[in-house]
Amino acid sequence: MCIYSAKFNKKFMKMSGDYNMTIQELKVGDSAFVAKTISESDVYIFAGITGDFNPVHINEVVANKTNFGGRIAHGILSAGLISSVLGMKLPGPGTIYLKQELKFTKPVRVGDTVKATCTVLEILPEKNIVYFDTVCTNQQNEVVIKGKTMVMPPRN
């Protein structure tokens, strides 16, 4: 289960996630987040969907011998929460994800709670393009992923 929250310079959004914001409604500084505790099932399901069965993710014996000292979740699994923010909260349904830059700064392990936050950095109304700062943190508020994304918000 994910926890959603948003802060906008406009009326409260519907908590059901079916609200979308057009470029005219967005303001620099608007932000939203989702938070999710990464489970054992999440890691195995993600491995099955993607075919990424790297032992560092699924084999404790092998992973214990790595620099991480144990299993870690797939980085893209945590980064996928950014997509949840953009596609469901800000700007919301109808948003087209165009570009993402990511830097993985700390490992995420099973049981960690990852919070993905997206904040509007720049708005280009003439191109219907919005740039977001994207940050994922763990339950200790340590940054595990940071980056920047470019999206095309819905037109209506």
Side-chain angles (χ1 to χ4, degrees):
M1 172 180 249
C2 289
I3 299 168
Y4 294 92
S5 183
K7 178 184 172 192
F8 305 131
N9 295 328
K10 86 177 251 114
K11 295 179 190 176
F12 290 104
M13 64 184 279
K14 295 179 185 176
M15 291 308 291
S16 64
D18 60 0
Y19 185 78
N20 57 33
M21 295 182 77
T22 65
I23 202 156
Q24 293 80 17
E25 297 171 302
L26 292 166
K27 304 283 184 266
V28 171
D30 285 349
S31 67
F33 74 85
V34 300
K36 180 179 185 350
T37 301
I38 304 301
S39 71
E40 185 86 18
S41 298
D42 294 327
V43 172
Y44 282 106
I45 290 168
F46 190 84
I49 290 169
T50 63
D52 181 355
F53 293 97
N54 184 331
V56 76
H57 304 305
I58 62 168
N59 185 321
E60 190 69 41
V61 173
V62 172
N64 281 335
K65 297 175 186 173
T66 69
N67 292 339
F68 297 114
R71 290 177 48 225
I72 61 172
H74 302 75
I76 295 297
L77 172 58
S78 297
L81 297 175
I82 295 167
S83 180
S84 179
V85 175
L86 298 169
M88 298 307 298
K89 295 296 164 192
L90 182 67
T95 297
I96 305 299
Y97 212 143
L98 299 173
K99 180 180 179 181
Q100 178 73 58
E101 298 172 12
L102 297 171
K103 180 175 182 182
F104 299 95
T105 57
K106 286 193 174 284
V108 172
R109 300 180 189 278
V110 170
D112 283 353
T113 299
V114 177
K115 178 181 175 184
T117 304
C118 299
T119 305
V120 176
L121 285 177
E122 184 179 3
I123 301 169
L124 304 174
E126 66 284 353
K127 294 182 179 182
N128 196 42
I129 298 291
V130 180
Y131 288 93
F132 284 85
D133 177 56
T134 56
V135 178
C136 295
T137 55
N138 64 18
Q139 65 277 5
Q140 281 96 30
N141 206 32
E142 299 169 319
V143 174
V144 297
I145 303 171
K146 58 184 175 178
K148 186 176 175 181
T149 190
M150 178 174 74
V151 303
M152 185 181 300
R155 293 207 181 262
N156 55 12

